[in-house]
Amino acid sequence: MGFNWKSVLGTIVPTIGTVVGKLLGVSNDDCALLYQFKNQDDTSCEASIVKKDGKIILWNRSENENGVITLSLPKVGTLEPQTFTLKQGQSIELDSLFRDCANHDSTKLMISASNNEEAIQKGVDNASEQFHICAAASDVCTDGNTPVRLGSYLTVVCSREKAIFTSANHQIIHISVANFQGRNDQKIKLMDIPAAPQNSGTVVEVKFPSEFPEGTVLDIDVEVEMGGLTNIMEAQKSWCNIRGLNPDEITQLKSIPVIH
């Protein structure tokens, strides 16, 4: 059974410069930015970016245990694109990464959320393994040969006629939204594109309704329904320090003033 659309709560796309500027602009005091996601069934998720003791932390503040948030960064300078996925109550310190990226104010900082509580309660197959991500890449050439990463889970190869998304060792369920923009302001938006199995992962072929001109480079952003949450959480342990917070730490973070 496919992904339950009601579990997708949304995506917020600020910029790194905006976020860091707000947090660092409040003198040396601890402060937090709060991103709230809610759907028509009153299911919710909350993501918080907190400055505490001079460090910047991303925290999944969701009350519901099935709330999952992701944060994606495209390639910035020499830094490779990355995606972090956090379950309820988990956090990751992003201080050095954010400060490295702070001078790239136009760089998207994509925060998305999903909550499969309803699907889990209804017994939908593998509902607890499904989650929602967003990812982006810039200056993607359309030679049909050059692979470009979008976050940690996706790779795309573009020609003038189509884009092929793959996810090695991970499962794409479907791409819910895909936006392509060329330098000549030609834009293409496609929705609800299913995936097909391929070796150890999945592939999505997106055929453009019209060809892009020769030599086009593309800016791409996508929202994707993924599977295999348990495997992704396990794989993250080898390259980033995501950890669960204890009750005292959560109480401390909740006490930090939220700014707007």
Side-chain angles (χ1 to χ4, degrees):
M1 190 167 180
F3 191 87
N4 175 23
W5 69 270
K6 291 182 180 178
S7 66
V8 178
L9 300 172
T11 299
I12 294 176
V13 186
T15 65
I16 293 171
T18 299
V19 170
V20 174
K22 284 184 177 180
L23 293 175
L24 299 185
V26 187
S27 64
N28 292 318
D29 296 336
D30 292 347
C31 57
L33 295 171
L34 180 62
Y35 300 97
Q36 295 178 305
F37 304 83
K38 184 176 268 190
N39 67 9
Q40 64 190 39
D41 296 316
D42 206 33
T43 306
S44 64
C45 290
E46 292 186 344
S48 185
I49 300 177
V50 183
K51 182 182 72 174
K52 184 178 186 298
D53 300 328
K55 301 293 185 182
I56 297 175
I57 300 164
L58 173 69
W59 167 38
N60 185 342
R61 185 175 165 151
S62 303
E63 295 291 338
N64 189 283
E65 65 179 359
N66 296 308
V68 177
I69 65 169
T70 67
L71 180 144
S72 289
L73 286 165
K75 182 178 177 66
V76 180
T78 60
L79 298 174
E80 290 300 311
Q82 298 180 69
T83 304
F84 306 98
T85 301
L86 279 67
K87 289 186 173 182
Q88 180 211 28
Q90 291 186 323
S91 72
I92 182 170
E93 186 179 304
L94 295 172
D95 189 62
S96 60
L97 180 62
F98 272 30
R99 291 178 191 273
D100 287 344
C101 297
N103 292 328
H104 300 264
D105 186 61
S106 62
T107 300
K108 288 181 178 179
L109 177 68
M110 296 167 288
I111 306 170
S112 62
S114 56
N115 189 326
N116 293 346
E117 180 178 22
E118 182 186 15
I120 292 169
Q121 290 178 347
K122 289 182 176 179
V124 175
D125 290 345
N126 295 318
S128 62
E129 287 293 304
Q130 299 176 7
F131 65 110
H132 181 75
I133 71 166
C134 48
S138 299
D139 300 325
V140 178
C141 69
T142 53
D143 62 2
N145 295 308
T146 305
V148 176
R149 280 182 52 195
L150 296 88
S152 299
Y153 312 143
L154 302 174
T155 299
V156 65
V157 174
C158 287
S159 66
R160 294 165 56 198
E161 299 83 18
K162 64 183 178 181
I164 297 177
F165 295 88
T166 56
S167 183
N169 302 316
H170 299 308
Q171 180 190 7
I172 305 171
I173 296 172
H174 75 267
I175 294 178
S176 53
V177 181
N179 293 294
F180 305 87
Q181 180 165 350
R183 290 292 179 270
N184 62 350
D185 290 332
Q186 182 179 359
K187 299 179 182 179
I188 293 175
K189 180 176 183 177
L190 299 167
M191 302 180 70
D192 296 326
I193 311 150
Q198 184 191 60
N199 301 324
S200 59
T202 42
V203 60
V204 180
E205 182 174 306
V206 180
K207 293 183 178 179
F208 303 141
S210 60
E211 287 189 7
F212 283 100
E214 187 172 354
T216 294
V217 292
L218 297 173
D219 290 340
I220 302 172
D221 65 79
V222 293
E223 295 192 41
V224 184
E225 280 31 279
M226 300 284 296
L229 178 61
T230 299
N231 290 338
I232 280 175
M233 298 302 297
E234 185 64 29
Q236 281 186 150
K237 294 178 181 178
S238 66
W239 62 273
C240 65
N241 185 26
I242 291 176
R243 68 184 191 89
L245 299 174
N246 63 47
D248 288 342
E249 290 174 311
I250 290 174
T251 298
Q252 288 179 5
L253 290 181
K254 284 185 174 180
S255 71
I256 293 175
V258 174
I259 61 174
H260 301 283

